């Protein structure tokens, strides 16, 4: 995904937190807030996987709707279905899954139906992007989650052996291997948003996940610094370690060390915005993430894809925050230099 122009990257809005607003009502607002496009969520009515596979006219109409609002799309996201693929299933999953995935709620059935739906998502994404009015300058990407059969073993007590943890990565590979092969067949990348509760939640576990699927070229990352920073993970190092696996990038902020000392990094079973919390998500530019260093690192690795705002800040009006975030991302981003800054010192260039 090397940059071939002097332009800054497109700025998009992930619609997952806006699924309460129908897509026809949302898109004019997205444009008014200053965005170039959207990363469409596969919930609400923003991107319907089943309709996409069954009805080409639906996809054409969606592109026309985007075009009418001066917007485009480079990626779709199916985090909710992805979460159910490897998770131990409980009542919380029913609230986020469509009826055809939940079915009778039998855990293994839910996991298998979720995996099948993710394969459908890759196929639907390919159909959608093939109908794009202009050529797509970037690889086709589905962003999402994986879930994890071993997240509950995060803290190693009762004593947790590496054999126990290895079984979790084997389970992930068994379930995601066929998905990645299906994505390979249609030339689509799967980008995991590295995140607590997923099979990969920091640098070490991300490397382990890659190893588990044999470095499958269709498995990479939807880079999101907010989920790394409050854990104490070096979110800039993540970019450099996985320079060839950054398939998409979220711009999302967080702050940490702002509570009253009664709640730690695990959250203390409190709700977001509780003033006792050690960390919280913030509107882009309002937290502790150093976006200057992120942009430098993304430039260094040659990432030229969209910068997609995943807006979350429980203390701020979302329309105000999303508009401010779009402006801040444009302020943080800058074009890549094409000539050595000291080239003019050479007499031959004068």
């Amino acid at each position: 995904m090397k940059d071939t122009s002097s332009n800054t990257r497109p700025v998009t809005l992930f619609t997952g937190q806006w699924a309460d607003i129908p897509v026809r009502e949302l898109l004019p607002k997205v444009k008014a807030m200053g965005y170039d496009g959207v990363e469409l969520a596969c919930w609400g009515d923003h991107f319907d996987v089943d309709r996409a596979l069954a009805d080409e006219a639906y996809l054409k109409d969606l592109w026309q709707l985007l075009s009418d609002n001066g917007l485009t799309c480079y990626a779709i996201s199916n985090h909710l279905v992805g979460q159910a693929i490897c998770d131990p299933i409980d009542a919380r999953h029913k609230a986020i899954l469509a009826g055809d995935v939940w079915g009778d709620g039998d855990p293994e059935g839910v996991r298998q139906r979720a995996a099948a739906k993710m394969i459908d998502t890759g196929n639907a994404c390919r159909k959608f992007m093939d109908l794009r009015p202009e050529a797509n300058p970037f690889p086709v990407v589905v962003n999402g989650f994986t879930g994890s059969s071993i997240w509950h073993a995060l803290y190693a007590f009762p004593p947790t052996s590496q054999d126990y943890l290895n079984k979790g990565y084997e389970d992930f590979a068994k379930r995601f291997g066929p998905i990645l092969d299906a994505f390979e067949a249609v030339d689509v990348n799967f980008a995991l948003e590295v995140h607590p509760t997923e099979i990969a939640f920091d640098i070490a576990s991300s490397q382990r996940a890659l190893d588990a699927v044999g470095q499958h070229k269709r498995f990479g990352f939807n880079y999101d610094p907010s989920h790394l920073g409050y854990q104490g993970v070096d979110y800039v190092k993540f970019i450099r370690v996985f320079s060839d696996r950054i398939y998409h990038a979220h711009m999302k902020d967080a702050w940490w060390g702002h509570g009253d000392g009664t709640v730690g990094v695990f959250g203390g079973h409190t709700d977001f915005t509780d003033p006792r919390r050690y960390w919280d998500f913030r509107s882009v530019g309002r937290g502790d993430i150093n976006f200057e260093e992120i942009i430098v690192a993304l430039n260094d690795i040659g990432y030229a894809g969209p910068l997609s705002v995943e807006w979350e800040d429980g203390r701020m009006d979302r329309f105000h925050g999303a508009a401010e975030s779009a402006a801040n991302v444009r302020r943080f981003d800058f074009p890549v230099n094409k000539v050595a800054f000291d080239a003019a010192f050479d007499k031959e260039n004068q």
Side-chain angles (χ1 to χ4, degrees), residues 309-332:
V309 171
E310 183 181 14
W311 190 85
E312 292 184 354
D313 189 328
R315 293 179 170 90
M316 185 181 292
D317 174 81
R318 62 178 170 174
F319 290 99
H320 174 91
E324 178 185 80
S325 293
N328 281 341
V329 171
R330 295 193 191 280
R331 179 170 59 86
F332 295 137

Short mmCIF file of all heavy atoms in Angstrom, two decimals, residues 309-332:
data_model
loop_
_atom_site.label_atom_id
_atom_site.label_comp_id
_atom_site.label_asym_id
_atom_site.label_seq_id
_atom_site.Cartn_x
_atom_site.Cartn_y
_atom_site.Cartn_z
N VAL A 309 -11.96 7.54 11.30
CA VAL A 309 -12.29 7.96 12.67
C VAL A 309 -13.32 7.01 13.25
O VAL A 309 -14.43 6.86 12.71
CB VAL A 309 -12.82 9.40 12.69
CG1 VAL A 309 -13.35 9.76 14.08
CG2 VAL A 309 -11.71 10.38 12.27
N GLU A 310 -12.94 6.32 14.34
CA GLU A 310 -13.93 5.59 15.13
C GLU A 310 -14.23 6.48 16.33
O GLU A 310 -13.46 6.50 17.29
CB GLU A 310 -13.42 4.22 15.57
CG GLU A 310 -14.49 3.45 16.33
CD GLU A 310 -14.05 2.09 16.82
OE1 GLU A 310 -12.84 1.81 16.81
OE2 GLU A 310 -14.92 1.30 17.23
N TRP A 311 -15.33 7.19 16.24
CA TRP A 311 -15.57 8.22 17.24
C TRP A 311 -16.27 7.64 18.47
O TRP A 311 -17.35 7.06 18.38
CB TRP A 311 -16.41 9.37 16.67
CG TRP A 311 -16.43 10.50 17.63
CD1 TRP A 311 -15.50 11.49 17.74
CD2 TRP A 311 -17.37 10.71 18.69
NE1 TRP A 311 -15.80 12.31 18.81
CE2 TRP A 311 -16.94 11.85 19.41
CE3 TRP A 311 -18.52 10.05 19.11
CZ2 TRP A 311 -17.63 12.34 20.51
CZ3 TRP A 311 -19.21 10.53 20.22
CH2 TRP A 311 -18.76 11.67 20.90
N GLU A 312 -15.63 7.80 19.63
CA GLU A 312 -16.21 7.39 20.91
C GLU A 312 -15.74 8.35 21.99
O GLU A 312 -14.54 8.47 22.23
CB GLU A 312 -15.79 5.95 21.28
CG GLU A 312 -16.38 4.88 20.38
CD GLU A 312 -16.03 3.48 20.84
OE1 GLU A 312 -15.23 3.34 21.78
OE2 GLU A 312 -16.53 2.52 20.24
N ASP A 313 -16.68 9.04 22.58
CA ASP A 313 -16.37 9.90 23.73
C ASP A 313 -17.68 10.16 24.45
O ASP A 313 -18.50 10.96 24.00
CB ASP A 313 -15.73 11.21 23.27
CG ASP A 313 -15.19 12.05 24.43
OD1 ASP A 313 -15.79 12.00 25.53
OD2 ASP A 313 -14.19 12.75 24.24
N GLY A 314 -17.87 9.45 25.56
CA GLY A 314 -19.14 9.51 26.27
C GLY A 314 -19.45 10.85 26.91
O GLY A 314 -20.56 11.06 27.40
N ARG A 315 -18.49 11.77 26.89
CA ARG A 315 -18.69 13.07 27.53
C ARG A 315 -19.01 14.18 26.52
O ARG A 315 -19.17 15.33 26.91
CB ARG A 315 -17.44 13.46 28.33
CG ARG A 315 -17.17 12.59 29.54
CD ARG A 315 -15.91 13.04 30.25
NE ARG A 315 -15.74 12.38 31.55
CZ ARG A 315 -15.10 11.24 31.74
NH1 ARG A 315 -14.55 10.62 30.70
NH2 ARG A 315 -14.99 10.71 32.95
N MET A 316 -19.05 13.84 25.24
CA MET A 316 -19.14 14.87 24.21
C MET A 316 -20.26 14.55 23.22
O MET A 316 -20.48 13.39 22.88
CB MET A 316 -17.80 14.97 23.47
CG MET A 316 -17.72 16.09 22.44
SD MET A 316 -16.12 16.12 21.58
CE MET A 316 -15.03 16.60 22.91
N ASP A 317 -20.95 15.58 22.74
CA ASP A 317 -21.92 15.42 21.68
C ASP A 317 -21.23 14.81 20.46
O ASP A 317 -20.16 15.27 20.03
CB ASP A 317 -22.52 16.77 21.30
CG ASP A 317 -23.43 16.67 20.09
OD1 ASP A 317 -24.59 16.27 20.26
OD2 ASP A 317 -22.95 16.99 18.97
N ARG A 318 -21.81 13.78 19.90
CA ARG A 318 -21.10 13.03 18.87
C ARG A 318 -20.95 13.80 17.56
O ARG A 318 -19.95 13.63 16.86
CB ARG A 318 -21.74 11.67 18.62
CG ARG A 318 -23.17 11.69 18.11
CD ARG A 318 -23.65 10.26 17.87
NE ARG A 318 -25.09 10.21 17.61
CZ ARG A 318 -25.73 9.10 17.26
NH1 ARG A 318 -25.08 7.97 17.11
NH2 ARG A 318 -27.03 9.12 17.04
N PHE A 319 -21.91 14.64 17.21
CA PHE A 319 -21.76 15.41 15.98
C PHE A 319 -20.67 16.47 16.12
O PHE A 319 -19.86 16.66 15.21
CB PHE A 319 -23.10 16.04 15.59
CG PHE A 319 -24.12 15.04 15.13
CD1 PHE A 319 -25.11 14.58 15.99
CD2 PHE A 319 -24.06 14.53 13.84
CE1 PHE A 319 -26.03 13.64 15.57
CE2 PHE A 319 -24.99 13.57 13.41
CZ PHE A 319 -25.97 13.13 14.27
N HIS A 320 -20.65 17.12 17.26
CA HIS A 320 -19.54 18.05 17.53
C HIS A 320 -18.21 17.30 17.49
O HIS A 320 -17.25 17.74 16.85
CB HIS A 320 -19.74 18.72 18.89
CG HIS A 320 -18.58 19.57 19.29
ND1 HIS A 320 -18.48 20.92 18.99
CD2 HIS A 320 -17.44 19.26 19.98
CE1 HIS A 320 -17.33 21.40 19.45
NE2 HIS A 320 -16.70 20.41 20.06
N GLY A 321 -18.16 16.17 18.19
CA GLY A 321 -16.91 15.43 18.31
C GLY A 321 -16.43 14.86 16.99
O GLY A 321 -15.23 14.89 16.69
N ALA A 322 -17.35 14.33 16.18
CA ALA A 322 -16.93 13.74 14.91
C ALA A 322 -16.46 14.81 13.93
O ALA A 322 -15.51 14.58 13.17
CB ALA A 322 -18.07 12.94 14.31
N ALA A 323 -17.11 15.97 13.94
CA ALA A 323 -16.65 17.06 13.07
C ALA A 323 -15.28 17.55 13.51
O ALA A 323 -14.38 17.77 12.69
CB ALA A 323 -17.67 18.20 13.08
N GLU A 324 -15.10 17.73 14.81
CA GLU A 324 -13.80 18.16 15.33
C GLU A 324 -12.73 17.12 15.02
O GLU A 324 -11.59 17.46 14.68
CB GLU A 324 -13.92 18.36 16.84
CG GLU A 324 -12.63 18.77 17.52
CD GLU A 324 -12.79 18.83 19.03
OE1 GLU A 324 -12.73 17.75 19.67
OE2 GLU A 324 -12.97 19.94 19.56
N SER A 325 -13.09 15.84 15.12
CA SER A 325 -12.12 14.77 14.87
C SER A 325 -11.67 14.76 13.42
O SER A 325 -10.48 14.55 13.13
CB SER A 325 -12.73 13.42 15.23
OG SER A 325 -12.95 13.32 16.63
N ALA A 326 -12.61 14.98 12.48
CA ALA A 326 -12.22 15.02 11.06
C ALA A 326 -11.21 16.14 10.84
O ALA A 326 -10.19 15.94 10.15
CB ALA A 326 -13.45 15.23 10.19
N ALA A 327 -11.48 17.31 11.42
CA ALA A 327 -10.55 18.43 11.26
C ALA A 327 -9.21 18.13 11.90
O ALA A 327 -8.15 18.47 11.35
CB ALA A 327 -11.17 19.69 11.85
N ASN A 328 -9.22 17.49 13.07
CA ASN A 328 -7.96 17.17 13.76
C ASN A 328 -7.14 16.16 12.98
O ASN A 328 -5.91 16.27 12.91
CB ASN A 328 -8.25 16.68 15.17
CG ASN A 328 -8.55 17.80 16.13
OD1 ASN A 328 -8.22 18.95 15.87
ND2 ASN A 328 -9.19 17.48 17.25
N VAL A 329 -7.79 15.15 12.42
CA VAL A 329 -7.04 14.15 11.65
C VAL A 329 -6.38 14.82 10.45
O VAL A 329 -5.21 14.55 10.13
CB VAL A 329 -7.96 13.00 11.20
CG1 VAL A 329 -7.23 12.08 10.21
CG2 VAL A 329 -8.41 12.18 12.41
N ARG A 330 -7.09 15.72 9.78
CA ARG A 330 -6.48 16.44 8.66
C ARG A 330 -5.30 17.30 9.13
O ARG A 330 -4.30 17.44 8.43
CB ARG A 330 -7.52 17.30 7.95
CG ARG A 330 -8.61 16.49 7.28
CD ARG A 330 -9.44 17.35 6.34
NE ARG A 330 -10.62 16.63 5.93
CZ ARG A 330 -10.67 15.70 4.98
NH1 ARG A 330 -9.55 15.36 4.35
NH2 ARG A 330 -11.80 15.10 4.65
N ARG A 331 -5.42 17.83 10.32
CA ARG A 331 -4.33 18.65 10.86
C ARG A 331 -3.12 17.79 11.21
O ARG A 331 -1.98 18.19 10.98
CB ARG A 331 -4.82 19.40 12.10
CG ARG A 331 -3.78 20.27 12.79
CD ARG A 331 -4.42 21.16 13.84
NE ARG A 331 -5.10 20.40 14.87
CZ ARG A 331 -4.52 19.91 15.95
NH1 ARG A 331 -3.21 20.08 16.14
NH2 ARG A 331 -5.21 19.24 16.85
N PHE A 332 -3.36 16.58 11.72
CA PHE A 332 -2.25 15.70 12.08
C PHE A 332 -1.55 15.13 10.85
O PHE A 332 -0.33 14.94 10.83
CB PHE A 332 -2.76 14.53 12.93
CG PHE A 332 -3.30 14.92 14.27
CD1 PHE A 332 -4.48 14.35 14.75
CD2 PHE A 332 -2.64 15.83 15.08
CE1 PHE A 332 -4.98 14.68 15.99
CE2 PHE A 332 -3.15 16.18 16.32
CZ PHE A 332 -4.32 15.61 16.78
#
